[in-house]
Amino acid sequence: MATASVAFKSREDHRKQMELEEARKAGLAPAEVDEDGKEINPHIPQYMSSAPWYLNAERPSLKHQRKWKSDPNYTKSWYDRGAKTFQAEKFRKGACENCGAMTHDKKTCMERPRKLGAKWTGKSIAPDEKIETFELDYEGKRDRWNGYDAASYKHVIERYEARDEARRKYLKDQQLKKLEEKNGNQNDEDGVSDDEDNEDDLKVDEAKVDESKQMDFAKVEKRVRTTGGGSTGTVRNLRIREDTAKYLLNLDVNSAHYDPKTRSMREDPLPDMDPNEKFYAGDNCNRVSGQALEFKQLNIHAWEAFDKGHDVHMQAAPSQAELLYKNFKINKEKLKYQTKETIMEKYGNAATDETLPRELLLGQSEKEVEYDRAGRIIKGQEISLPKSKYEEDIYINNHTTVWGSWWKDHQWGYKCCQQTVRNSYCTGAAGIEAAEAAADLMKANIARKEATEEMPTPVEEKKLATWGSEVPDDLVLDEKKLAEALKKEDERRREEKDERKRKYNLKWNDEVTPEDMEAYRMKRVHQDDPMKDFLH
C-alpha cells in the first residue's frame, strides 16, 4: 500500500508539473527564474553543459549547475625546494641531535650521520628548512605536473645536441680519413674542395636518415583487438606485395586445402617440385623445425619423466619442466663425453694420432721378396708373428724370461733361474747351481737315514698294580683265575643291584687274590672316563 501511494503521489506531482508548464507557455502562470533573477528557458534540458547553437546564448544558461566561484583558500603554488629560513649558531633544545635543525628530529634527519652530533659538538649547525602547507583544490591534487620546473629539462636537450654534434664530427673525420687513403698527397685546393664535398655528402646522408625514419613501411590503419569498442591503432603490413599468395601457387582443385579464416595451408601445394627451388612447403614444415621441434621434445621429456615417477607437468609448471629438461640435456652431454673419454683412454684415438709422412706411406725399397703361387712368402722377408692383445715379453724382478717358460714336477717357473715362485727375484745360473747342490744334499741325507734306520723296539705297556702303583716285575697273573675273578665280579655287581638274587646260604671268603684285585680294577667305573655311560 505504501508503494502504491508513493507511485500515485509521484504521478500526481508529474501531472501538476506538466499543467504548470502548459500554463507558463500560454502566459497564464509566472515564469521560473534562477538565482540571478533571470528567466529559465524551459526548452533547454537541465542536464546539458552548454546551450545548443540554435538557442540564444544571452538567455538564461546552466551556469548555476557549476561551481564557478573559486575558493580563495585554494592555491596553485608548490613547495620551495631547498629553501632555508634560519641559521643558528649554537645548539637549541629540541633540535635534531645530528645536524641541529629545529624542523625535524634525529630519526627523520636526511643528513649523513655524524660521528659526534651537533648536540655534543655545537658545530656545523644546519639551517632550518622552510616548512609549507598548501590547501589544493580538486584539480591541484590531481595535477601531475604541479611544481614541475620546465628549466630542468634544458640539460636533457643540451645532452642530445652534444651527442648529435659529436656524431657529425666523427662521421666527418671518418670520411676525411678515407679520402686521404684514396688520394694520398694532394694539393691544398683539392683538399678544400674535397672537404666541401664531404660536408655535402654528410648532409645528404643525414637527410636520408630522416627520410628512413619518416618512412614507416606501409601504415595500415586497423582496429586492434576491438570487438565493438576497443582502441584503434596502427599496424605495419610487412608483406611484400611482389610475393605470390600461397593459395595461388597451385590452382588445382585437388591441391592442398587453404583455410581463409586462419590463412593457413598445412599441406605442401607443390609436392613434386624440387626442394632446392621450392619457396613454400606448407605450414606443417614449421612444426618440425626451429623452436617448435624443441617444444615437442620438451613435451615428450615431460611425459616420460612423469611416467617414471617425477612430479612434472608441462601445463601446470612449465618453468620447472623446462629447467628439468635443460639439466637432463647437460647430464646427458656429460655422460656422453665421459663415455667417449673412457673409450679413447682405453683404446686410443686413431684420428688424433700423428699421421705418417708421405715418404713412409708410399715408400719404395729395393729389397726383393719372392712369393709362391698361393701368395706365401718364400724368401726375402721375415715372417711377422701375429701379436696378441695381451701384454707380452714383460720381464719383472730381473728375469730374462717370462713366467711359464719352464716346467718341472708339475710346476711352472722361470727358465732363466728355474724358480717356481711367481714373484721371486732372478738369481741366474748361480741360483740353478745352488738349487742343484741343495737337491743333491737332500738326496744324500735321505739315503743315509734310510741306511742307518733300524726297526723300532715295541713299547711295553705298563699295567697298574692293585694298589694304584706300577705293576712289579715279579707279578704274574693266571689267565684262568683272572677270567673266574671277572665272572665273580659280575655276579657281585648284579647282587648289589638286586638283593633278591642273593642266596640264603652264603659262604663268605675274606681272602683277596691278585686276580680278584685285577678284576675289580678292570670293572671299576672311573669318574673321569668320558665313555662311562656306555659301559653297561
Side-chain angles (χ1 to χ4, degrees), residues 351-417:
T352 58
D353 293 342
E354 296 181 359
T355 57
L356 295 175
R358 190 176 182 85
E359 296 80 8
L360 296 179
L361 290 175
L362 304 177
Q364 297 180 0
S365 63
E366 297 180 355
K367 188 175 182 180
E368 183 180 356
V369 182
E370 186 177 351
Y371 299 88
D372 58 1
R373 290 185 178 183
R376 295 186 292 267
I377 299 176
I378 299 175
K379 63 178 181 177
Q381 185 177 1
E382 296 180 357
I383 300 175
S384 59
L385 298 175
K387 290 187 177 181
S388 173
K389 66 178 181 179
Y390 303 102
E391 296 178 346
E392 296 181 358
D393 299 336
I394 296 179
Y395 309 116
I396 61 174
N397 295 336
N398 201 28
H399 289 285
T400 57
T401 56
V402 296
W403 169 260
S405 59
W406 188 64
W407 170 266
K408 185 179 181 181
D409 297 336
H410 303 283
Q411 288 183 342
W412 293 103
Y414 295 97
K415 187 179 180 180
C416 55
C417 58

Side-chain angles (χ1 to χ4, degrees), residues 453-458:
E453 187 176 12
E454 295 179 355
M455 292 300 291
T457 57

Side-chain angles (χ1 to χ4, degrees), residues 303-335:
W303 297 337
E304 293 178 351
F306 182 78
D307 293 339
K308 293 179 180 179
H310 296 281
D311 189 10
V312 181
H313 198 278
M314 188 60 197
Q315 281 70 34
S319 300
Q320 179 188 4
E322 186 174 359
L323 181 61
L324 183 64
Y325 180 58
K326 184 178 179 181
N327 295 335
F328 168 74
K329 290 195 296 184
I330 294 175
N331 295 334
K332 184 179 180 181
E333 290 295 330
K334 287 183 179 179
L335 182 61

Side-chain angles (χ1 to χ4, degrees), residues 425-460:
Y425 193 82
C426 183
T427 56
I432 297 174
E433 295 176 357
E436 291 178 353
D440 296 339
L441 181 60
M442 180 69 70
K443 291 178 181 179
N445 292 335
I446 293 173
R448 187 172 60 254
K449 185 177 181 181
E450 290 178 352
T452 59
E453 187 176 12
E454 295 179 355
M455 292 300 291
T457 57
V459 179
E460 295 181 356

Side-chain angles (χ1 to χ4, degrees), residues 455-473:
M455 292 300 291
T457 57
V459 179
E460 295 181 356
E461 184 179 358
K462 294 182 180 180
K463 296 182 180 181
L464 296 177
T466 56
W467 316 116
S469 60
E470 292 184 359
V471 179
D473 296 337

